[in-house]
Every structure is written in C-alpha cells, then in structure tokens.
Amino acid sequence: MRAHLLAWTAILPLAIATLSPARAQTPAPLTADQAAFRDLFKELVETNTTVSSGSCTAAAEKMAVRLKAAGYKDDQLTLFSVPEFPKDGGLVAVLPGTSRTLKPMLLLGHLDVVEAKREDWTRDPFTMVEENGYYYARGASDMKGMVAAWVDIMARLKKDGPAPKRTIKLALTCGEETGGRFNGAKWLAETKPDLIAAEFALNEGGGGRTDGKGKVVVQSMQIGEKSNRNFRIEATNPGGHSSIPVRENAIYDLGDALAKVRDYGFPVTLNDTTRAFFAQAGASRGDDMGRAMVALSKNPNDASALAMVTSDRGYNSTLRTTCVATTIAGGHAENALPQRASANVNCRIFPGETAETTQAALVKAINNPAITVTLVGRIRPIAVPPPLDPRIMGPAEKLVAKYFPGVPLVPSMSTGATDATYLGVIGIPTYGVPGGWGDPDGNGAHGLNERREITSLMVGRDFLYDLVTAYASK
C-alpha cells in the first residue's frame, strides 16, 4: 500500500485540506473476540521480519499454526521457501468454496517490514506498545494489520461456516519491502501460478484517511499503481591531486545533473482512475483545492487549476511520473580529485510509460553526454491497471456507506508500488481495498514510531470480513 508506501508505500493522495497532527479517538474496551484478534496482531508485529535480522518464514509458520487450529488440513496449507533464502518464506492457504462456477478470490499480504533501529525509535519497534489510542510497532500500519485481518477472516470462516460459495485463497509473502533478494509474490506467480490462480485479488493500497483530528473524511479503493524503477546517474573523470583542482570535477558534474533532474517536470497525465479520483474527491471538499481538482479532471490543460493541485505533493505525484535522488556516492580519497560520482534516482512511473521512456526523458533533461543514465536494481513488471469494475466497487460502496455514513469511496491510483505488479501480468486484477484508516502524516510507515489507531484496526477488521464475505457470496 502496502500497503507501499510510499510506505505506503502506497501513500494515497489525501482528500483533505490540512496535515494537522493526528488525535485518535479513545477506543472502546475490547470484547473477548477483539482481544483475541489483538493477540494475533501482536504476535505478527512482535515477530521481526526485517531483511537484516528477521524471518518471514517464522511469521508464516506461526500463521499456519493458527489456521491449522481453526480446522485447516495439511493439504490446504502450503508453506514455501527457497534454499538460498530460507528466512524469506511464506504461506498459501485455501478455503474451498461450494460453487463449481465461481472462480476463486485471493487475499494478498506481505509479511516483511522495513528496517527499524531501536536507537532511533522512542519505543522498541518489535514490542507492541499501546499509547494514546494507538498500537506502536514496526509493521503496525504497513501492513501487518491487514495480514492479521486476512488470517482472522480465513480462521473465522473455517470455524464458523458455512463454507463460502467462492473459494478463498490467502497468500502471505516476503520481499515486498526488502529489495531484490527474494520476492514471494513473484516466485508464486512464476512457479506456482495455479496455486494462487484467482478471478481477482484484494491487497493493501486502499483505505481511509482522517482529517488529522480523528474524523475519517475519505475511503479509497486502489485501482492501479505506478511502477518503480531506479537509475544510476554517474559522472566520471580522470581525477588527480586535490592541490591542483580543475573545473571539470565528477562531483560537480553530478550535482549539475541532479539539479536538472530536480527541475524537470514530467508531463501531466490522467487516466480513468485518476480522473475519477480528482472529480469525486474534489467535489467532496468544497474549497478552492477541491474546485481546482474538479476543473483539472475536466481539463488537464487548465493552468490555474494545475498550479493549485500540484502545490500538493501527493496530488502532484498522482498526476505524473516523478523521479527523485535518494542515495549518492563519490570520490575515492580526501586528498584526490574525484574519479567517479554517482547517485540513485528513484522513479515512480505513471501507467502507460515505461522504463525506456523515463530513461530517455532523464537523458534529455540532463543534456550532458558525459553523464550516464543506467537502469539498475530490482525490475518489477510494469503495473497492469485493473478495470474499474462495478462488481468490485459496488459491494465496497455499500459497506463504506454503512460503516462511514457520508464518507465518499473514491477510486485512487497508488503513487507507490506493491506486489500487485506480479499478479497483474498473470491475469489477476488486484485491488487495494478500503476499511481501516490512517492519518495525514502516514502514521510512521517506513519511518520512525510507526503506529495504527486501535479503533481503525478493529473497525477495519470487521469491514474487511464483511467485504470478503460479500465478494465470496457471488
């Protein structure tokens, strides 16, 4: 949405006017059923699943134990890993449906989390702390709350019955957050496509946002996402002794190139999802920004509307491909002119564009043949946007109206990237679903002191149960 960030990876555009600090509502006392769910969530967030020192395999095994206790047979649970990365394993669970005509649905979730250093956090990132109406822990927002809900739903449906009409599959994977080492969703799509075959999948990336004061003001259904690509921008030079400097310097040349990347604006683009988002989210606001959003949805060449909308960094990213420098390296000695300087530029590519067209745009913007622009790192598939399907949107709209009266459900394109990219290319349209909510500041996902509002976790659990059962019944 994740989740993915942006952390959210998929942080979604915010249909709100302010970024005021979050103030959670005081949660009601937990019922026995909710307390059991809290324990499941606690077990997940307290299981370290970072790439450096954690184990997704351990988390997957714990979830398999819970599902087996709910009544799943061994042939309905598939734990998987590869010898090269034994701690990057995952789990697939299957709850058979009664219908012979309805195709399965898939619940997708990643177990791995972004690194979290104890010395940087106010609290131990792998000890769940309840404070001021929130649960604090790494993964609380991205995305172990949804993973806990998926496991809870699969267990409840198995124990309580009756069996759903549509077969429900659950895939818990590793590697969404951890770079190119191993990605479980990719591995399943490439080596076990029949195991996860489904008519559609539900994933992170959607959800609600508050006004920063505890009030939910919008719910989103993620319909598509950007693609993630990295480029190495590099300058080279013969170098020499630092006591006799010259103007030609690899670090200076790199700095000039990065300034041009910073100042380059990719063309504004709208697709069906983002046009609907700006129209509907804008209409719900009733302020100057909202009116500009509606105007832009009708005419992307409206200069005044564009200036207003792109002043919001989330909206700006929703309108175009973006590229930003994220890491830098250069020089080989303190007393020598640099022979090499390079930077990583991370690009989030709008659907319809490619790595090649983005690379060409960077080369043109830099306009220096001595600077190389090279595609590097993990190569995800280019995201395949799912359709704006009324069979998906309809049940979600009804539930949003029930749980959040007066709050709009808007289609949204994630500016981050999720494991949905691996499913789209094998014909499984994947949607980031609404339900729980976050605050305007992103709740610390991918950053420090990550948190999830307790009420959001519990209401989100109920919402997702109703949503899954609605989809599974027809």
PDB file of all heavy atoms in Angstrom, residues 93-114:
ATOM      1  N   ALA A  93      -2.854 -20.449   1.868  1.00  0.00           N
ATOM      2  CA  ALA A  93      -3.951 -21.218   2.468  1.00  0.00           C
ATOM      3  C   ALA A  93      -5.140 -21.180   1.521  1.00  0.00           C
ATOM      4  O   ALA A  93      -5.377 -20.168   0.849  1.00  0.00           O
ATOM      5  CB  ALA A  93      -4.333 -20.652   3.828  1.00  0.00           C
ATOM      6  N   VAL A  94      -5.896 -22.268   1.474  1.00  0.00           N
ATOM      7  CA  VAL A  94      -7.044 -22.364   0.577  1.00  0.00           C
ATOM      8  C   VAL A  94      -8.267 -22.811   1.364  1.00  0.00           C
ATOM      9  O   VAL A  94      -8.243 -23.854   2.028  1.00  0.00           O
ATOM     10  CB  VAL A  94      -6.777 -23.353  -0.578  1.00  0.00           C
ATOM     11  CG1 VAL A  94      -7.999 -23.449  -1.485  1.00  0.00           C
ATOM     12  CG2 VAL A  94      -5.546 -22.933  -1.384  1.00  0.00           C
ATOM     13  N   LEU A  95      -9.338 -22.015   1.288  1.00  0.00           N
ATOM     14  CA  LEU A  95     -10.635 -22.361   1.868  1.00  0.00           C
ATOM     15  C   LEU A  95     -11.575 -22.698   0.714  1.00  0.00           C
ATOM     16  O   LEU A  95     -12.022 -21.789  -0.002  1.00  0.00           O
ATOM     17  CB  LEU A  95     -11.184 -21.204   2.693  1.00  0.00           C
ATOM     18  CG  LEU A  95     -12.568 -21.409   3.315  1.00  0.00           C
ATOM     19  CD1 LEU A  95     -12.554 -22.574   4.295  1.00  0.00           C
ATOM     20  CD2 LEU A  95     -13.043 -20.132   4.007  1.00  0.00           C
ATOM     21  N   PRO A  96     -11.881 -23.982   0.492  1.00  0.00           N
ATOM     22  CA  PRO A  96     -12.688 -24.356  -0.669  1.00  0.00           C
ATOM     23  C   PRO A  96     -14.099 -23.786  -0.598  1.00  0.00           C
ATOM     24  O   PRO A  96     -14.720 -23.738   0.465  1.00  0.00           O
ATOM     25  CB  PRO A  96     -12.707 -25.889  -0.612  1.00  0.00           C
ATOM     26  CG  PRO A  96     -11.524 -26.255   0.230  1.00  0.00           C
ATOM     27  CD  PRO A  96     -11.394 -25.153   1.232  1.00  0.00           C
ATOM     28  N   GLY A  97     -14.605 -23.345  -1.741  1.00  0.00           N
ATOM     29  CA  GLY A  97     -15.974 -22.876  -1.847  1.00  0.00           C
ATOM     30  C   GLY A  97     -16.893 -23.963  -2.355  1.00  0.00           C
ATOM     31  O   GLY A  97     -16.441 -25.028  -2.786  1.00  0.00           O
ATOM     32  N   THR A  98     -18.180 -23.688  -2.328  1.00  0.00           N
ATOM     33  CA  THR A  98     -19.171 -24.691  -2.740  1.00  0.00           C
ATOM     34  C   THR A  98     -19.530 -24.589  -4.213  1.00  0.00           C
ATOM     35  O   THR A  98     -20.066 -25.532  -4.784  1.00  0.00           O
ATOM     36  CB  THR A  98     -20.452 -24.532  -1.905  1.00  0.00           C
ATOM     37  OG1 THR A  98     -20.972 -23.205  -2.094  1.00  0.00           O
ATOM     38  CG2 THR A  98     -20.159 -24.749  -0.423  1.00  0.00           C
ATOM     39  N   SER A  99     -19.234 -23.440  -4.838  1.00  0.00           N
ATOM     40  CA  SER A  99     -19.634 -23.241  -6.230  1.00  0.00           C
ATOM     41  C   SER A  99     -18.627 -23.867  -7.191  1.00  0.00           C
ATOM     42  O   SER A  99     -17.414 -23.758  -6.983  1.00  0.00           O
ATOM     43  CB  SER A  99     -19.770 -21.750  -6.531  1.00  0.00           C
ATOM     44  OG  SER A  99     -20.003 -21.534  -7.909  1.00  0.00           O
ATOM     45  N   ARG A 100     -19.147 -24.484  -8.244  1.00  0.00           N
ATOM     46  CA  ARG A 100     -18.288 -25.033  -9.287  1.00  0.00           C
ATOM     47  C   ARG A 100     -18.076 -24.045 -10.427  1.00  0.00           C
ATOM     48  O   ARG A 100     -17.285 -24.303 -11.331  1.00  0.00           O
ATOM     49  CB  ARG A 100     -18.883 -26.327  -9.834  1.00  0.00           C
ATOM     50  CG  ARG A 100     -18.955 -27.453  -8.802  1.00  0.00           C
ATOM     51  CD  ARG A 100     -19.461 -28.746  -9.444  1.00  0.00           C
ATOM     52  NE  ARG A 100     -19.484 -29.845  -8.485  1.00  0.00           N
ATOM     53  CZ  ARG A 100     -19.853 -31.092  -8.782  1.00  0.00           C
ATOM     54  NH1 ARG A 100     -20.249 -31.387 -10.042  1.00  0.00           N
ATOM     55  NH2 ARG A 100     -19.854 -32.044  -7.865  1.00  0.00           N
ATOM     56  N   THR A 101     -18.778 -22.929 -10.375  1.00  0.00           N
ATOM     57  CA  THR A 101     -18.683 -21.954 -11.469  1.00  0.00           C
ATOM     58  C   THR A 101     -17.939 -20.682 -11.072  1.00  0.00           C
ATOM     59  O   THR A 101     -17.274 -20.062 -11.905  1.00  0.00           O
ATOM     60  CB  THR A 101     -20.082 -21.582 -11.974  1.00  0.00           C
ATOM     61  OG1 THR A 101     -20.861 -21.067 -10.880  1.00  0.00           O
ATOM     62  CG2 THR A 101     -20.777 -22.802 -12.558  1.00  0.00           C
ATOM     63  N   LEU A 102     -18.040 -20.286  -9.809  1.00  0.00           N
ATOM     64  CA  LEU A 102     -17.339 -19.081  -9.381  1.00  0.00           C
ATOM     65  C   LEU A 102     -15.844 -19.349  -9.268  1.00  0.00           C
ATOM     66  O   LEU A 102     -15.419 -20.341  -8.677  1.00  0.00           O
ATOM     67  CB  LEU A 102     -17.870 -18.612  -8.021  1.00  0.00           C
ATOM     68  CG  LEU A 102     -19.272 -17.998  -7.993  1.00  0.00           C
ATOM     69  CD1 LEU A 102     -19.685 -17.712  -6.544  1.00  0.00           C
ATOM     70  CD2 LEU A 102     -19.318 -16.725  -8.819  1.00  0.00           C
ATOM     71  N   LYS A 103     -15.049 -18.463  -9.833  1.00  0.00           N
ATOM     72  CA  LYS A 103     -13.599 -18.598  -9.726  1.00  0.00           C
ATOM     73  C   LYS A 103     -13.134 -18.108  -8.355  1.00  0.00           C
ATOM     74  O   LYS A 103     -13.811 -17.293  -7.718  1.00  0.00           O
ATOM     75  CB  LYS A 103     -12.920 -17.796 -10.831  1.00  0.00           C
ATOM     76  CG  LYS A 103     -13.197 -18.328 -12.231  1.00  0.00           C
ATOM     77  CD  LYS A 103     -12.467 -17.498 -13.286  1.00  0.00           C
ATOM     78  CE  LYS A 103     -12.726 -18.036 -14.679  1.00  0.00           C
ATOM     79  NZ  LYS A 103     -12.044 -17.227 -15.724  1.00  0.00           N
ATOM     80  N   PRO A 104     -11.982 -18.576  -7.879  1.00  0.00           N
ATOM     81  CA  PRO A 104     -11.508 -18.174  -6.554  1.00  0.00           C
ATOM     82  C   PRO A 104     -11.191 -16.685  -6.481  1.00  0.00           C
ATOM     83  O   PRO A 104     -11.014 -16.005  -7.491  1.00  0.00           O
ATOM     84  CB  PRO A 104     -10.233 -19.001  -6.365  1.00  0.00           C
ATOM     85  CG  PRO A 104     -10.362 -20.142  -7.315  1.00  0.00           C
ATOM     86  CD  PRO A 104     -11.123 -19.592  -8.494  1.00  0.00           C
ATOM     87  N   MET A 105     -11.111 -16.184  -5.251  1.00  0.00           N
ATOM     88  CA  MET A 105     -10.577 -14.871  -4.970  1.00  0.00           C
ATOM     89  C   MET A 105      -9.324 -15.050  -4.116  1.00  0.00           C
ATOM     90  O   MET A 105      -9.164 -16.061  -3.439  1.00  0.00           O
ATOM     91  CB  MET A 105     -11.601 -13.993  -4.244  1.00  0.00           C
ATOM     92  CG  MET A 105     -12.062 -14.532  -2.913  1.00  0.00           C
ATOM     93  SD  MET A 105     -13.390 -13.563  -2.132  1.00  0.00           S
ATOM     94  CE  MET A 105     -12.483 -12.097  -1.639  1.00  0.00           C
ATOM     95  N   LEU A 106      -8.438 -14.053  -4.153  1.00  0.00           N
ATOM     96  CA  LEU A 106      -7.153 -14.158  -3.454  1.00  0.00           C
ATOM     97  C   LEU A 106      -6.971 -12.981  -2.505  1.00  0.00           C
ATOM     98  O   LEU A 106      -7.194 -11.825  -2.895  1.00  0.00           O
ATOM     99  CB  LEU A 106      -6.010 -14.189  -4.470  1.00  0.00           C
ATOM    100  CG  LEU A 106      -4.584 -14.173  -3.919  1.00  0.00           C
ATOM    101  CD1 LEU A 106      -4.271 -15.463  -3.161  1.00  0.00           C
ATOM    102  CD2 LEU A 106      -3.576 -13.967  -5.049  1.00  0.00           C
ATOM    103  N   LEU A 107      -6.568 -13.268  -1.275  1.00  0.00           N
ATOM    104  CA  LEU A 107      -6.182 -12.242  -0.310  1.00  0.00           C
ATOM    105  C   LEU A 107      -4.659 -12.223  -0.259  1.00  0.00           C
ATOM    106  O   LEU A 107      -4.032 -13.242   0.046  1.00  0.00           O
ATOM    107  CB  LEU A 107      -6.757 -12.564   1.074  1.00  0.00           C
ATOM    108  CG  LEU A 107      -8.241 -12.929   1.138  1.00  0.00           C
ATOM    109  CD1 LEU A 107      -8.650 -13.228   2.582  1.00  0.00           C
ATOM    110  CD2 LEU A 107      -9.099 -11.820   0.546  1.00  0.00           C
ATOM    111  N   LEU A 108      -4.073 -11.079  -0.549  1.00  0.00           N
ATOM    112  CA  LEU A 108      -2.612 -10.964  -0.645  1.00  0.00           C
ATOM    113  C   LEU A 108      -2.085 -10.068   0.463  1.00  0.00           C
ATOM    114  O   LEU A 108      -2.665  -9.007   0.747  1.00  0.00           O
ATOM    115  CB  LEU A 108      -2.227 -10.371  -2.007  1.00  0.00           C
ATOM    116  CG  LEU A 108      -0.730 -10.144  -2.258  1.00  0.00           C
ATOM    117  CD1 LEU A 108       0.026 -11.470  -2.318  1.00  0.00           C
ATOM    118  CD2 LEU A 108      -0.526  -9.349  -3.553  1.00  0.00           C
ATOM    119  N   GLY A 109      -0.979 -10.479   1.081  1.00  0.00           N
ATOM    120  CA  GLY A 109      -0.362  -9.639   2.095  1.00  0.00           C
ATOM    121  C   GLY A 109       1.116  -9.945   2.236  1.00  0.00           C
ATOM    122  O   GLY A 109       1.524 -11.105   2.129  1.00  0.00           O
ATOM    123  N   HIS A 110       1.925  -8.922   2.470  1.00  0.00           N
ATOM    124  CA  HIS A 110       3.359  -9.172   2.677  1.00  0.00           C
ATOM    125  C   HIS A 110       3.684  -9.152   4.161  1.00  0.00           C
ATOM    126  O   HIS A 110       3.180  -8.324   4.928  1.00  0.00           O
ATOM    127  CB  HIS A 110       4.223  -8.187   1.888  1.00  0.00           C
ATOM    128  CG  HIS A 110       4.162  -6.758   2.330  1.00  0.00           C
ATOM    129  ND1 HIS A 110       4.893  -6.268   3.402  1.00  0.00           N
ATOM    130  CD2 HIS A 110       3.494  -5.686   1.835  1.00  0.00           C
ATOM    131  CE1 HIS A 110       4.677  -4.982   3.542  1.00  0.00           C
ATOM    132  NE2 HIS A 110       3.808  -4.597   2.614  1.00  0.00           N
ATOM    133  N   LEU A 111       4.541 -10.071   4.558  1.00  0.00           N
ATOM    134  CA  LEU A 111       4.943 -10.231   5.945  1.00  0.00           C
ATOM    135  C   LEU A 111       6.148  -9.390   6.317  1.00  0.00           C
ATOM    136  O   LEU A 111       6.343  -9.064   7.491  1.00  0.00           O
ATOM    137  CB  LEU A 111       5.265 -11.708   6.230  1.00  0.00           C
ATOM    138  CG  LEU A 111       4.094 -12.690   6.164  1.00  0.00           C
ATOM    139  CD1 LEU A 111       4.619 -14.122   6.085  1.00  0.00           C
ATOM    140  CD2 LEU A 111       3.195 -12.527   7.369  1.00  0.00           C
ATOM    141  N   ASP A 112       6.979  -9.057   5.352  1.00  0.00           N
ATOM    142  CA  ASP A 112       8.219  -8.350   5.655  1.00  0.00           C
ATOM    143  C   ASP A 112       7.957  -6.879   5.952  1.00  0.00           C
ATOM    144  O   ASP A 112       6.956  -6.305   5.522  1.00  0.00           O
ATOM    145  CB  ASP A 112       9.225  -8.482   4.513  1.00  0.00           C
ATOM    146  CG  ASP A 112       8.681  -7.983   3.183  1.00  0.00           C
ATOM    147  OD1 ASP A 112       7.529  -8.307   2.850  1.00  0.00           O
ATOM    148  OD2 ASP A 112       9.401  -7.260   2.475  1.00  0.00           O
ATOM    149  N   VAL A 113       8.869  -6.282   6.714  1.00  0.00           N
ATOM    150  CA  VAL A 113       8.756  -4.878   7.101  1.00  0.00           C
ATOM    151  C   VAL A 113      10.072  -4.171   6.825  1.00  0.00           C
ATOM    152  O   VAL A 113      11.126  -4.797   6.679  1.00  0.00           O
ATOM    153  CB  VAL A 113       8.390  -4.720   8.598  1.00  0.00           C
ATOM    154  CG1 VAL A 113       7.012  -5.290   8.886  1.00  0.00           C
ATOM    155  CG2 VAL A 113       9.445  -5.364   9.495  1.00  0.00           C
ATOM    156  N   VAL A 114      10.006  -2.848   6.788  1.00  0.00           N
ATOM    157  CA  VAL A 114      11.187  -2.013   6.623  1.00  0.00           C
ATOM    158  C   VAL A 114      12.041  -2.068   7.890  1.00  0.00           C
ATOM    159  O   VAL A 114      11.530  -2.268   8.991  1.00  0.00           O
ATOM    160  CB  VAL A 114      10.748  -0.562   6.311  1.00  0.00           C
ATOM    161  CG1 VAL A 114      11.923   0.405   6.340  1.00  0.00           C
ATOM    162  CG2 VAL A 114      10.059  -0.511   4.951  1.00  0.00           C
TER     163      VAL A 114
END
